[in-house]
C-alpha cells in the first residue's frame, strides 16, 4: 500500500464550523433568521456564514456580499426569481 502525504493550504476555508441547529426551513427575508447574528440581516459588502444546522431558502435578492460560506443547506426559492450577488 502506498501512502501519499500532502500538505494543503486552503485559506478560503473557515477555521471552524459554525453550528446553529434550527427547526424547520429558514427564509433569507425573515428577520428572525438573522436575529442571533451581530448586526442582524446581512448588508452589502459583508461576509456571511450559513451555519451547519440551517435549512435556508434564498427567497429574495441578497445584498452584494463579500463572501458567502455555506456550511448548512441552501436552496433558492422555486416561487420567486432571485439573485445571489
Amino acid at each position: 500500500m502506498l501512502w501519499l502525504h500532502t500538505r494543503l493550504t486552503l485559506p478560503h476555508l473557515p477555521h471552524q464550523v459554525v453550528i446553529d441547529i434550527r427547526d424547520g426551513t429558514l427564509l433569507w427575508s425573515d428577520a428572525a433568521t438573522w436575529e442571533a447574528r451581530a448586526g442582524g440581516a446581512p448588508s452589502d459588502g459583508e461576509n456571511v456564514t450559513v451555519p451547519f444546522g440551517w435549512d435556508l431558502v434564498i427567497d429574495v435578492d441578497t445584498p452584494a456580499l463579500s463572501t458567502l460560506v455555506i456550511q448548512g443547506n441552501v436552496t433558492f426559492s422555486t416561487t420567486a426569481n432571485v439573485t445571489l450577488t
Side-chain angles (χ1 to χ4, degrees), residues 8-69:
L8 296 176
T9 303
L10 302 172
H12 61 283
L13 295 178
H15 295 285
Q16 64 184 10
V17 173
V18 178
I19 299 173
D20 181 14
I21 306 299
R22 303 268 192 107
D23 288 332
T25 300
L26 305 171
L27 299 175
W28 187 285
S29 64
D30 187 354
T33 298
W34 308 105
E35 66 187 5
R37 182 179 182 272
S43 299
D44 286 342
E46 290 189 324
N47 300 321
V48 177
T49 298
V50 175
F52 176 84
W54 281 25
D55 184 13
L56 179 68
V57 175
I58 298 176
D59 62 327
V60 294
D61 292 343
T62 66
L65 304 173
S66 178
T67 60
L68 177 61
V69 176

